[in-house]
Amino acid sequence: DAGVTQSPTHLIKTRGQQVTLRCSPKSGHDTVSWYQQALGQGPQFIFQYYEEEERQRGNFPDRFSGHQFPNYSSELNVNALLLGDSALYLCASSLVSREGGGAFFGQGTRLTVV
Amino acid sequence: QKEVEQDPGPLSVPEGAIVSLNCTYSNSAFQYFMWYRQYSRKGPELLMYTYSSGNKEDGRFTAQVDKSSKYISLFIRDSQPSDSATYLCAMSDRAPSGGSYIPTFGRGTSLIVHP
């Protein structure tokens, strides 16, 4: 059973550029959430997708957008990259019908903006 | 004040020691409590999940939740060098309609178990 997979694992971008990160959820899961984790900090919630719609959003600007596909996989897009966007981006999958229970994380994409 | 407070450490212990990791929180609506382990440059791995107050044991790990004090703990017995990692506490309220719950994380405690 494949867990949550993310691609790419590492990425270096220039300030002002745009980036797309990808996530495939754990088999059987229907909800994908994205998090940003700065060095030495806990993950910060960006947004969550269920049924191909953004359902909840954290305190992140509109430069951060996403998409969920019919097969439940998801993309995170960040426009006009800033140096402060450098972080580990984590995707987590869960089952909306299962209350609580813990989300399962991918290995993350480490984004460096120079 | 952050919703979830967690001492970043590092906490350094000898192999075989009992480790106690703790978090406090301010949101009384939290009712799902989790502990994640994160190795360097990896994603968090779910270790323990607890609903409401009480204890839960899984092998060498025991999670405790005291909702009256807004305090949760993770105990690791017979700690091993392979337990060296960052331990993140997380907690959430009930999920909203049409979505899944969103855990709020602490900043993590770095644990070092030396041989």
Side-chain angles (χ1 to χ4, degrees):
Chain A
D1 176 26
V4 180
T5 58
Q6 292 186 243
S7 63
T9 54
H10 297 86
L11 206 51
I12 299 175
K13 288 287 189 178
T14 303
R15 189 172 48 184
Q17 284 188 317
Q18 179 263 344
V19 69
T20 297
L21 310 181
R22 295 176 175 83
C23 171
S24 293
K26 180 179 169 61
S27 178
H29 284 185
D30 55 12
T31 304
V32 172
S33 301
W34 286 92
Y35 292 81
Q36 181 194 67
Q37 187 177 24
L39 201 60
Q41 302 296 320
Q44 298 294 312
F45 173 69
I46 302 174
F47 44 54
Q48 181 182 89
Y49 277 84
Y50 170 65
E51 291 186 331
E52 302 178 49
E53 289 187 16
E54 183 182 297
R55 298 292 181 158
Q56 303 180 75
R57 189 178 184 93
N59 189 25
F60 279 80
D62 291 345
R63 299 187 296 110
F64 290 77
S65 63
H67 190 77
Q68 185 180 34
F69 300 94
N71 66 353
Y72 307 118
S73 67
S74 176
E75 288 181 350
L76 164 65
N77 301 292
V78 187
N79 295 321
L81 284 167
L82 304 173
L83 296 179
D85 293 332
S86 296
L88 181 68
Y89 287 85
L90 295 162
C91 169
S93 73
S94 56
L95 202 54
V96 75
S97 60
R98 185 183 179 197
E99 189 69 31
F104 292 83
F105 283 83
Q107 80 283 6
T109 294
R110 185 160 298 280
L111 173 64
T112 303
V113 182
V114 298
Chain B
Q1 182 190 11
K2 287 188 175 182
E3 272 194 302
V4 180
E5 298 281 357
Q6 186 175 13
D7 187 330
L11 176 63
S12 182
V13 301
E15 183 176 356
I18 296 175
V19 175
S20 173
L21 303 166
N22 312 293
C23 288
T24 59
Y25 63 95
S26 57
N27 187 345
S28 57
F30 287 149
Q31 53 186 297
Y32 299 98
F33 303 91
M34 291 142 279
W35 286 94
Y36 286 84
R37 177 174 63 196
Q38 186 173 27
Y39 292 111
S40 180
R41 298 185 174 273
K42 300 291 185 183
E45 170 195 9
L46 180 64
L47 273 180
M48 301 283 285
Y49 155 70
T50 311
Y51 171 67
S52 194
S53 286
N55 293 0
K56 184 173 184 178
E57 187 173 322
D58 184 1
R60 296 186 295 114
F61 298 90
T62 300
Q64 287 186 353
V65 175
D66 182 349
K67 291 188 69 178
S68 62
S69 302
K70 297 189 179 66
Y71 187 89
I72 70 170
S73 301
L74 178 70
F75 298 95
I76 307 174
R77 292 182 298 280
D78 187 25
S79 57
Q80 302 296 311
S82 59
D83 294 328
S84 298
T86 296
Y87 289 80
L88 297 153
C89 64
M91 45 202 78
S92 69
D93 192 356
R94 288 185 64 86
S97 175
S100 185
Y101 70 99
I102 306 296
T104 299
F105 285 85
R107 64 180 296 183
T109 298
S110 176
L111 172 67
I112 301 167
V113 182
H114 51 87

